[in-house]
Amino acid sequence: MKKLADRLLHRFTNHETALHAGHHWTDQGTSGLSHRKNHRMHSQGVHLHIHDRYVVMDNGILQVTLSNPGGIITGIKYNGIDNVLEVRNKETNRGYWDLHWNEPGGKGIFDVISGVTFRVIVETEEQVEISFLRTWDPSLEGKYIPLNIDKRFIMLCGSSGVYSYGIYEHLKEWPGFELGETRIAFKLRKDKFHYMAMADDRKRIMPFPDDLCKGRCQTLDYQEASLLTAPCDPRLQGEVDDKYQYSCENKDLRVHGWISFDPPVGFWQITPSNEFRSGGPLKQNLTSHVGPTTLAVFHSTHYAGKTMIPRFEHGEPWKKVYGPVFIYLNSTANGDDPLCLWDDAKIKMMAEVESWPYSFVASEEYPKSEERGTACGRLLIRDRFISNDLISAVGAYVGLAPPGDSGSWQIECKGYQFWAIADEAGYFSIGNVRPGEYNLYAWVPGFIGDYHSGTIVSVTSGCKIEMGDIVYEPPRDGPTLWEIGIPDRKASEFFIPDPDPTLVNRALVHHQDRFRQYGLWKRYTDLYPNDDLVYTVGVSDYRRDWFFAHVPRKKGDVHEGTTWQIRFKLEKNDQKATYKLRIAIASATLAELQIRVNDAEAIHPLFTTGLIGRDNSIARHGIHGVYMLYAVNIPGNRLVQGDNTIFLKQPRCNGPFQGIMYDYIRLEDPPC
């Protein structure tokens, strides 16, 4: 390993001029678009070679080898590399679909999905599509998830990659189950791929997988976070590695992957649509991390918890198509900057997005463009305390998702979702919607709450639904007395401290998302070792005086609950009226919010949420999880003319990650 590390260090040195000055482990951009290698178009088209234990798809640009009939990707040959996947791994641990499930009330089971039947769906010079099917029957109860799973792989002529999608089906006579996660995983060669990119401002040389082994690192507050103490690359000495620092919201999670410097090759996972992902546009998922590992996550509980686990009952039929996603490989000539492969991958991603829905997918379960529908309209806001006129819902997220309740799209995971962003006038157009029955949902940056219409929207093949003007009235009883934060479902506008200098990911030091550094929850104790946060309306500034997470304080080896104060003045007070306190929560983890007014020691709080949240976003650098909105009635006789204090107590303190991230707090005057 030391010889390998030394060889790679020499290789990395040749690329340091393209990396950020002073932080040679990350780059801040490249000089231009990559020069994609001109692949020779072979007249042979796509060939399919079927052997007893393997199936090979070959279009002259790359060869993809899969186990037969398992459908595990065992090899990808490209640009002189016999196999870009980790050849030292078992064949079942290179490129595979997997899931985590359990019987109702049972223990979780991890399953690498292996087919039992191989079929050729399409075989022409222009395209090959193959199927690896695993069917279920009662003899398999308790051993395998009660689903028929059909894994499909597609290779096109002249295409530098391979597509994959899966069809999951549960018949109504089968037993129930719960699905915790399902995804595609790729394990790349650790002697080749060392540079990871998942966003323009999150790309860097990564640690070796060996760096996370005993003797080379120190495990921090949870297993996934490690302090590198003796890394193979000494320049990474003292850095923190944590796969959750590279999580991303679905709406931005389109392309990510790895670059090999020698030869200059890129391996990218492209997801052209979010329609099949759980949780809507703001749901966060893992991307690429040390391994080198690249994931296509379709469904997970990360940043949401158990509320995101779908439960399928006996008697409940279900079918869903996950994907297709595209695995793209690119290369550049020796001497060109390999980092430009990231720019090329982004260009390819945009082309794939424009091509969605694909025309070449063979399954009837995947509707083509002409078989889908469109819904359009305009969203307006009525808030008479801001304007007497209707307000355009500029930037609103407007979506069609399975019928449910207000905000249910956040944890919806059985069906499909389709979203659009409203323009400056509030107009939206939701395109390429699968036929089915939906509700219309929306939320608007700058306004609290969720719009939801319980009216069924029936989308049929080729339809165009004109929804007209839709008016959303955000929750409000009276004019604003004061407010803290920005209603955008995140806590990123609040004070985010510098990380402990001994626990830093240097690639994120100057990152706009300061919350992605490890261990920031500990900084609350550093800043408030004895007394808790006090915020004075009209004096304090939430950008510097409101800590981003309401967490416990560590005292010795234990943690204690914390009580924050909001101090404010009332010029007048109506003792007989009711004031409204609105609290929007961006995330909660096994927390409780108790509210007291002008009496911190009151035995019974005026309001309590009870135990809420399993997002774990504080530990996982998420800055938000599942959005919640609370309205608290404060009787006028609890307040006084002059100085008042609202106490926000978070008493749960069994660990460092129990806490709340606020989105926005507002006190409203009684209505006129």
Side-chain angles (χ1 to χ4, degrees), residues 210-219 225-231:
D210 306 67
D211 293 339
L212 305 186
C213 297
K214 185 177 180 180
R216 290 192 176 273
C217 73
Q218 172 190 338
T219 302
S226 299
L227 176 65
L228 306 180
T229 55

Side-chain angles (χ1 to χ4, degrees), residues 153-164:
F153 298 88
I154 302 171
M155 180 175 283
L156 304 179
C157 180
S159 174
S160 186
V162 61
Y163 297 86
S164 187

Side-chain angles (χ1 to χ4, degrees), residues 203 233 655:
K203 48 185 178 177
D233 182 344

Side-chain angles (χ1 to χ4, degrees), residues 66-341:
L66 302 101
S67 61
N68 184 7
I72 308 294
I73 300 179
T74 63
I76 300 176
K77 183 177 181 180
Y78 175 76
N79 196 48
I81 303 178
D82 285 340
N83 196 348
V84 301
L85 304 180
E86 181 51 77
V87 294
R88 286 172 284 192
N89 285 5
K90 293 181 178 180
E91 289 191 342
T92 54
N93 188 29
R94 296 180 185 177
Y96 54 88
W97 285 69
D98 68 30
L99 56 81
H100 190 274
W101 73 286
N102 60 271
E103 296 178 303
K107 293 183 179 180
I109 300 172
F110 176 75
D111 179 16
V112 173
I113 304 166
S114 183
V116 296
T117 303
F118 165 70
R119 293 181 299 152
V120 178
I121 305 299
V122 176
E123 185 178 9
T124 69
E125 286 195 352
E126 296 300 317
Q127 173 182 344
V128 164
E129 179 169 338
I130 54 179
S131 161
F132 300 88
L133 176 66
R134 187 176 79 183
T135 56
W136 192 88
D137 64 63
S139 68
L140 301 173
E141 186 167 358
K143 182 178 181 182
Y144 291 114
I145 188 171
L147 289 174
N148 289 334
I149 299 178
D150 188 357
K151 299 184 299 179
R152 300 285 184 96
F153 298 88
I154 302 171
M155 180 175 283
L156 304 179
C157 180
S159 174
S160 186
V162 61
Y163 297 86
S164 187
Y165 68 103
I167 306 169
Y168 290 28
E169 181 181 26
H170 179 252
L171 302 185
K172 65 179 182 179
E173 60 266 27
W174 290 351
F177 67 94
E178 294 177 342
L179 179 63
E181 183 177 72
T182 190
R183 63 187 188 175
I184 307 176
F186 290 93
K187 308 293 181 65
L188 307 182
R189 283 178 60 165
K190 65 182 181 181
D191 65 333
K192 295 288 186 185
F193 294 91
H194 306 106
Y195 190 91
M196 187 272 288
M198 50 79 56
D200 283 338
D201 55 3
R202 280 192 283 171
K203 48 185 178 177
R204 61 166 297 160
I205 290 173
M206 296 289 283
F208 286 87
D210 306 67
D211 293 339
L212 305 186
C213 297
K214 185 177 180 180
R216 290 192 176 273
C217 73
Q218 172 190 338
T219 302
L220 298 174
D221 283 2
Y222 46 88
Q223 183 179 1
E224 295 90 347
S226 299
L227 176 65
L228 306 180
T229 55
C232 300
D233 182 344
R235 295 172 301 175
L236 303 182
Q237 176 80 26
E239 284 207 60
V240 168
D241 177 75
D242 181 349
K243 67 181 181 180
Y244 295 111
Q245 292 177 324
Y246 307 107
S247 295
C248 187
E249 294 175 346
N250 282 342
K251 65 182 178 63
D252 301 318
L253 183 46
R254 296 293 198 188
V255 57
H256 60 95
W258 295 81
I259 293 173
S260 163
F261 289 140
D262 185 16
V265 164
F267 182 98
W268 310 102
Q269 193 274 304
I270 294 175
T271 303
S273 171
N274 288 320
E275 68 180 49
F276 43 80
R277 282 173 167 162
S278 298
L282 300 186
K283 171 69 170 68
Q284 297 168 90
N285 280 309
L286 293 172
T287 59
S288 292
H289 57 265
V290 170
T293 298
T294 288
L295 303 175
V297 179
F298 304 121
H299 166 71
S300 81
T301 60
H302 289 133
Y303 304 96
K306 292 182 178 180
T307 57
M308 186 59 79
I309 297 178
R311 179 169 183 149
F312 298 88
E313 305 290 348
H314 173 76
E316 178 182 0
W318 176 70
K319 184 180 289 187
K320 185 170 183 177
V321 177
Y322 291 109
V325 297
F326 185 47
I327 305 307
Y328 175 58
L329 287 89
N330 59 358
S331 59
T332 189
N334 286 320
D336 290 343
D337 185 358
L339 302 184
C340 289
L341 294 170

Side-chain angles (χ1 to χ4, degrees), residues 69 94 105 142 348 354 356 360 370 500 545 605:
R94 296 180 185 177
K348 183 61 176 174
E354 288 297 317
W356 186 273
F360 51 79
E370 63 274 13
D500 182 325
D545 300 318

Side-chain angles (χ1 to χ4, degrees), residues 521-577:
W521 59 87
K522 298 181 180 182
R523 303 291 284 139
Y524 182 80
T525 299
D526 296 336
L527 295 169
Y528 301 93
N530 300 305
D531 300 319
D532 283 319
L533 182 151
V534 176
Y535 187 92
T536 303
V537 173
V539 176
S540 301
D541 183 338
Y542 63 77
R543 294 169 296 183
R544 68 168 186 266
D545 300 318
W546 189 273
F547 198 76
F548 79 101
H550 192 165
V551 292
R553 177 189 294 105
K554 188 172 184 180
K555 283 286 189 179
D557 294 330
V558 300
H559 293 84
E560 63 182 20
T562 50
T563 302
W564 292 8
Q565 299 180 38
I566 303 174
R567 297 178 180 176
F568 61 98
K569 292 181 181 293
L570 282 182
E571 294 182 1
K572 56 185 178 65
N573 177 40
D574 186 345
Q575 293 281 309
K576 296 181 180 180

